[in-house]
Amino acid sequence: MGLQRIVQPKTQRGKRALEHKEPKIHENIKTSLLLKGGNTSLLVTQVLKELFRNSVFIVIHESFFVFSRKNITRPFEDQNSLEFFSTKADASLFAFGCHSKKRPNNLIIGRMFDGHVLDMVEFGIEKFVSMLEFKGEKCVFGVKPCLVFSGQAFEQDSEYQRIRNLFTDFFKGPVVDNVRLAGLEHVISVTASGRKFYIRNYRILLKKSGSRTPRVELEDMGPSLDLVMRRTKLASDDLFRRALKQPKTAKPRKIKNISHDAFGSKLGRIHMTKQDLSKLQTRKMKGLKKRPFESSGEAAETSGTETTSPVAKKAKQTAT
C-alpha cells in the first residue's frame, strides 16, 4: 500500500480551493455533476440540457459542472471515473446519461460519500416533455421547491425509501433557516406506481377566495418525466448510518427548562426556594401603614397578655 500524496498549494487561489474541499462541520451546498456517456440519444441529451439550462433545476444548486466530452464509462461496472470527476469538481451528486440497444434512453442518478459512490439508481426514460412546450409563466430563479412524494411504496418498501431520500437530496436545494410562505411557488411531485416514477413540476397560484385565506391552484409548467427503474446499487445500512452521522458540535444544544406552547410562545421554568410571604417586602404606602395601637394589640395577642388601647381606656372611664 503506497503512501498518500499530500498536495501543497502553490498559490493563494489553490489554497482557497483546498480549504473549500476540506471537511467542515457544516458542509457546503451540494453541487451536481452531469455526464454524457459514449453513446447518447437525442432524448437523453435533451433531458440533461433541461437539468442544466432549465431555471427550475438550476435553482436547486448554486453551480453545475458539465463535461461536454463523451465519457465511455459504465457506472455499474466501474465507478473509478465517476469518483475521479466527483473529487475533481467537488460534486457530491451526479446524473449520467447514455443510450444503447440493451438499455435505451438510460439515466443514472446517484450521490457520493467520502469520495466513493454511496447510492446509485438506473432509470429508463419512457416519456419526456420539455418545459418549453408548456405555456404560461415559470418560477423565478432562487425559489425553494416543495417536494411531494405519493405512493404506498415510499412508506412500506425500504428500497423505495432510500430512493425517496436520493430524490430529496437531489432536488431539495440549499438548506435555509426560514421560508417565506408567499414565496413558495414551485412544487416537485414524485409519484411511485410499481417500478415507474412520474416526476411533475407545478407552479403554485394563489387566487382570490372571498376570505383572507387564498384559493390554491397548481399549474403544470414542466418539465415532466416518466421513468422506469432498472437497476439499483444502494449502500449497506452500516455505511448509510455512517454517512448520516453528524459531529456533536453540529447538533443543536438542548436548552433546559425552556418550552413552547401551541401558539409558539416561549415559556421558561425557574427553580426557587420556598418563600415566606409574611416577610415579603411590599410597596410602602401611608394607607397600609399600621397604627400604634394596632401594632401593640397584635403584640399582646402573640404574648398572651391583655392590653387596652388608650381609646378603649378613655371610653371605659367615661362609662363609669
Side-chain angles (χ1 to χ4, degrees), residues 100-136:
S100 64
K101 185 177 180 181
K102 186 178 181 180
R103 294 183 176 86
N105 301 325
N106 210 34
L107 178 65
I108 301 175
I109 298 176
R111 54 185 170 181
M112 301 286 184
F113 170 67
D114 197 17
H116 302 283
V117 176
L118 180 67
D119 292 330
M120 190 165 45
V121 184
E122 184 181 61
F123 299 101
I125 304 173
E126 288 190 343
K127 183 181 179 181
F128 171 72
V129 182
S130 175
M131 67 179 301
L132 300 177
E133 300 182 22
F134 292 91
K135 297 181 180 179

Side-chain angles (χ1 to χ4, degrees), residues 85-104:
F85 289 138
S86 175
T87 304
K88 184 177 180 180
D90 193 21
S92 55
L93 301 169
F94 67 89
F96 180 82
C98 59
H99 177 75
S100 64
K101 185 177 180 181
K102 186 178 181 180
R103 294 183 176 86

